[in-house]
């Protein structure tokens, strides 16, 4: 697969594999990330601070006092040439609760309009979305914000023409063939179809983001009463050292 190197300042280097959102590009990013992790663990690539995967590229952040751009590029080229077998079970499997539609004051106000634009009923949109197992492609935009794919084509619609100034925390949303959950209140132009009561990010957790690239997410539709109960139960979880792991279905893949 073709790739190119892009400079990202004096402490980072980006390897770009393409210009779209495609599983083959995501696989290439994941393979390189795994290869670099193995090289770092074996001591063959010094000075790497962090790797940041996206849909189609991987950024390698390094300490210029410990290494150089030339050394990092050489290490990356070696990793690109190394055979890597991706373990599909290395990601974790979650089941996250969602209160769909406008049952809540700050729930899914766009469900009806999205359904009409798709030629479906709101119940059909909920059924389709809740039947998916979505893969976390990357985190970005906000701390812990998971970009997840892939929605079926029938649910794919562009972002709203007028973004909202305030999207409530926990909003479950769609845009194109992607779905996501807003970890915090923020501006946003995605279609809001429901609300998830779980916190997605906390500096108190060993891994600050609940989800990470490679994880898979299933959805469980819940009613307002259960949503409110979970909100109350989760109120202290951002301050707790333990994230809500009771929603982790496949703990065997937790690395």
């Amino acid at each position: 697969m073709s790739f190119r190197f892009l400079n990202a300042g004096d402490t980072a280097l980006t390897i770009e594999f393409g210009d779209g959102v495609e599983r083959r590009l995501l696989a290439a990013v994941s393979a390189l990330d795994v290869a670099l992790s193995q090289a770092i663990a074996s001591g063959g690539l010094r000075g790497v601070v962090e790797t940041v995967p996206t849909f189609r590229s991987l950024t390698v952040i390094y300490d210029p006092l410990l290494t150089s751009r030339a050394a990092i590029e050489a290490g990356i080229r070696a990793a690109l040439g190394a055979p890597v077998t991706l373990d599909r079970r290395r990601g974790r499997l979650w089941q996250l609760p969602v209160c769909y539609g406008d049952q809540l004051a700050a729930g899914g106000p766009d469900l009806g309009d999205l359904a009409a634009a798709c030629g479906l009923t709101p119940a059909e949109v909920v059924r389709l979305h809740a039947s998916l197992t979505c893969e976390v492609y990357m985190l970005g935009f906000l701390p812990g914000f998971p970009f997840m794919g892939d929605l079926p084509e029938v649910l794919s619609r562009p972002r709203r023409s007028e973004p909202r100034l305030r999207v409530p925390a926990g909003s479950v949303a769609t845009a194109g063939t992607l779905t996501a959950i807003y970890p915090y209140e923020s501006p946003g132009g995605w279609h809001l179809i429901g609300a998830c009561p779980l916190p997605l990010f906390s500096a108190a957790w060993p891994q600050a983001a609940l989800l990470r690239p490679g994880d898979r997410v299933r959805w469980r539709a819940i009613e307002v009463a259960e949503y409110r109960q979970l909100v109350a139960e989760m109120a202290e979880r951002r301050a707790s050292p333990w994230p809500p792991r009771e929603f982790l279905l496949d703990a065997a893949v937790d690395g």
Side-chain angles (χ1 to χ4, degrees):
M1 177 177 290
S2 62
F3 61 89
R4 62 173 180 160
F5 287 97
L6 302 173
N7 287 315
D10 58 357
T11 63
L13 187 61
T14 295
I15 307 91
E16 185 180 71
F17 292 97
D19 58 2
V21 179
E22 302 176 40
R23 284 194 175 272
R24 67 183 185 90
L25 301 181
L26 183 67
V29 171
S30 298
L32 177 58
D33 202 15
V34 169
L36 290 179
S37 296
Q38 293 172 350
I40 293 167
S42 66
L45 191 58
R46 295 180 62 252
V48 174
V49 175
E50 184 181 10
T51 59
V52 183
T54 73
F55 292 118
R56 56 190 176 86
S57 67
L58 183 74
T59 295
V60 180
I61 301 171
Y62 59 89
D63 185 341
L65 298 179
L66 298 177
T67 188
S68 66
R69 184 195 186 285
I72 292 296
E73 181 174 337
I76 292 170
R77 288 187 182 276
L80 285 165
V84 175
T85 300
L86 284 179
D87 182 1
R88 292 293 302 162
R89 288 179 53 81
R90 73 187 185 93
R92 302 165 298 174
L93 177 63
W94 299 84
Q95 185 176 67
L96 304 185
V98 183
C99 187
Y100 286 98
D102 57 2
Q103 303 175 72
L104 301 162
D110 297 328
L111 179 61
D113 289 343
L114 179 65
C118 296
L120 302 170
T121 66
E124 288 172 326
V125 172
V126 170
R127 179 182 58 79
L128 282 171
H129 189 272
S131 70
L132 299 173
T133 298
C134 296
E135 183 165 346
V136 179
Y137 278 3
M138 60 170 283
L139 304 181
F141 176 57
L142 294 169
F145 185 104
F147 290 83
M148 295 176 277
D150 298 283
L151 296 185
E153 196 61 36
V154 68
L155 294 182
S156 177
R157 290 298 179 273
R159 288 172 171 79
R160 289 168 51 89
S161 58
E162 294 185 11
R164 289 182 170 87
L165 295 179
R166 292 185 176 180
V167 172
S171 292
V172 178
T174 70
T177 59
L178 299 175
T179 189
I181 308 171
Y182 283 76
Y184 296 97
E185 180 182 274
S186 75
W190 292 36
H191 304 283
L192 310 184
I193 63 171
C196 177
L198 307 187
L200 295 186
F201 188 89
S202 172
W205 297 343
Q207 177 187 302
L210 183 69
L211 304 176
R212 63 191 182 207
D215 283 1
R216 290 160 294 138
V217 174
R218 292 177 182 169
W219 311 96
R220 182 173 66 87
I222 61 174
E223 300 298 324
V224 174
E226 184 176 356
Y227 174 86
R228 290 174 175 161
Q229 178 184 348
L230 285 171
V231 166
E233 291 176 1
M234 296 293 124
E236 302 300 324
R237 295 306 281 268
R238 277 201 171 96
S240 166
W242 303 111
R245 294 171 58 90
E246 59 266 36
F247 299 93
L248 183 63
L249 290 182
D250 196 344
V253 297
D254 188 18

